[in-house]
């Protein structure tokens, strides 16, 4: 059933006039969560996204390659896009040493705290608008089902003005009731197949870890979330809401558990394409509002192996606490080698430090294909010399970890990266050449930004570049957060009526400047990645 004509007709009968932004323009952004350029290209070539493919082939829209920035994570991307500032966000999760508290961006109170800090410095681009299934609200008047909104109470969803008459209230009811019914029906029909898939996957991997949660989240995000987002966006278009940001998170959720190129993950892009067609139809039905429609991705995903598979069942924190390789590997150097490998790569004399009762105050936060390693003996971050003095065994174990593609640490002019025993000064970008398959300057910028983030770990361990395939420190088979090629390469699809070629290769801060200028009338001063 196509609700768009009905919602458009009822909204005409009952809508309260909503002024456009200062520039007189309105926009809709469809956010395809976690979709890399490669995954999008696979879906287009496989015929899974006929609507988007037609737009690109016929020339109504154009695709610009963009980059996510680092961390390649939704909250950091949305902070930069909505406010022009990533804030102190080193990933989806981290540890606040000053508060002694783990922080996750699925904790609504922490999201509210984080976004309030952003709002003190800048205005959001969604003022007066709406957003659905986003993490941050962007100052939307109704951030329905966003983590920020959940901190203030469970939302019914949608902009609801007390001046509306019964027709518009009926439209609101229909845009909630029918998606709920459709989602429940789809969930019931698909339950046997999904349960069998989960059983087969668990048997193949030898564990059912995260499977119950995955099945629940797939229903909430991929089924229920998709339906609500689609029809509430359609309704908001029919009502003339000035700024709409709609997140489709089904692909990201499936890709984490089954891999970014799994058929089940790519099938979520087919569902998103059907939603795009409905949103475009609503825009066609209300031409007087003059909406401009954009499609973007916040980051991509890398195909990964869980670190425990590389470490033979040991997690990164346990590897570090156990001292990593056997002591014989460290105390019996090969002929001509330095007596202490850390002396060679750190250039520091090691003092045999130790933690309280022989156990260091260690916190390891797994954030996709990166992990933050913290030492709680002080609130401020350690640099390389202080780690070599205070925690040499733990530093040594981290650098020697076979699941670590790169390890970042503060120190020197811009920080250091360690790659398989070699120390790289991040102030000298040429030394990064060939490490990851994309631009060396861009890689250097990402690494410097990460280690300069105040809440990043004393050590930041990246799973990209591990021999044999990239590694996720969480139990994931598709992952993001670090600098893997698929993770950082995103896209921005825009109407060809807009000449935006200057945004080619840009990041979310540049996109923020564009939206701020075009729709809010604020000066466009550009920005850095």
């Amino acid at each position: 059933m196509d609700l768009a004509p009905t919602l458009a007709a009822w909204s005409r009968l009952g809508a309260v006039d909503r002024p456009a932004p200062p520039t007189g323009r309105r926009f809709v952004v469809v956010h395809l969560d976690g979709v890399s350029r490669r995954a999008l290209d696979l879906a287009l070539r496989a015929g899974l996204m006929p609507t988007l493919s037609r737009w690109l082939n016929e020339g109504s829209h154009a695709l610009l390659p963009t980059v996510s920035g680092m961390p390649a994570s939704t909250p950091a991307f949305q902070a930069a896009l909505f406010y022009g500032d990533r804030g102190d966000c080193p990933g989806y999760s981290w540890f606040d040493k000053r508060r002694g508290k783990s922080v996750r961006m699925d904790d609504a109170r922490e999201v509210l705290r984080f976004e309030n800090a952003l709002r003190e410095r800048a205005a959001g681009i969604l003022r007066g608008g709406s957003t659905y299934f986003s993490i941050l609200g962007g100052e939307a008047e109704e951030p329905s089902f966003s983590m920020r909104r959940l901190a203030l109470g469970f939302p019914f969803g949608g902009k609801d003005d007390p001046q509306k008459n019964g027709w518009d209230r009926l439209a609101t009811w229909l845009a909630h009731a029918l998606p709920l019914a459709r989602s429940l029906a789809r969930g019931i029909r698909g339950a046997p197949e999904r349960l069998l898939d989960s059983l087969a996957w668990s048997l193949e991997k030898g564990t059912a870890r995260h499977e119950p949660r995955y099945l629940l989240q797939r229903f909430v995000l991929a089924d229920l979330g998709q339906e609500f987002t689609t029809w509430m966006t359609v309704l908001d278009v029919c009502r003339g809401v000035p700024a709409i940001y709609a997140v489709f998170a089904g692909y990201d959720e499936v890709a984490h558990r089954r891999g970014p190129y799994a058929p089940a993950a790519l099938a979520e892009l087919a569902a998103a394409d059907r939603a795009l067609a409905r949103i475009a139809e609503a825009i066609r039905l209300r031409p007087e509002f003059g909406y401009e429609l954009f499609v973007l991705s916040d980051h991509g995903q890398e195909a990964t192996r869980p670190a425990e598979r590389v470490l033979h069942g040991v997690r990164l924190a346990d590897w570090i606490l156990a001292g990593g390789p056997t002591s014989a590997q460290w105390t019996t150097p090969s002929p001509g080698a330095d007596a202490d490998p850390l002396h060679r790569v750190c250039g520091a004399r090691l003092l045999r430090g130790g933690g309280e009762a022989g156990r260091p105050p260690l916190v390891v936060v797994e954030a996709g294909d990166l992990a933050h390693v913290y030492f709680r003996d002080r609130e401020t971050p350690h640099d390389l010399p202080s780690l070599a003095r205070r925690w040499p065994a733990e530093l040594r174990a981290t650098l020697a970890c076979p699941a670590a593609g790169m390890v970042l640490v503060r120190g020197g002019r811009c920080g250091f990266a360690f790659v398989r025993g070699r120390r790289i000064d991040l102030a000298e970008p040429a030394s990064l050449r060939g490490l990851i398959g994309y631009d060396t300057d861009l890689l250097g910028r990402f690494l410097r930004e990460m280690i300069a983030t105040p809440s990043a770990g004393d050590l930041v361990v990246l799973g990209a570049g591990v021999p044999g395939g990239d590694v996720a420190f969480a139990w994931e088979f598709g992952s993001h957060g670090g600098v893997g090629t698929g993770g950082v390469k995103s896209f921005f699809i825009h109407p060809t009526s807009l000449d935006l070629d200057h945004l080619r290769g840009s990041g979310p801060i540049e996109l923020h400047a564009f939206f701020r200028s075009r729709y809010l009338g604020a000066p466009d001063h550009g920005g850095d990645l």
Side-chain angles (χ1 to χ4, degrees), residues 408-434:
L408 306 182
V409 60
R410 296 172 179 85
R413 290 171 290 172
C414 301
F416 300 101
F418 289 89
V419 181
R420 291 179 287 282
R422 181 164 62 100
R423 186 178 72 177
I424 296 171
D425 188 341
L426 295 179
E428 301 173 1
S431 59
L432 294 167
R433 187 171 292 115

Side-chain angles (χ1 to χ4, degrees), residues 503-527:
L503 293 176
R504 182 176 298 273
S506 65
I509 290 178
E510 286 86 359
L511 296 181
H512 166 83
F514 159 70
F515 280 102
R516 182 184 61 190
S517 173
R518 181 160 182 82
Y519 300 101
L520 301 182
D524 183 351
H525 298 300

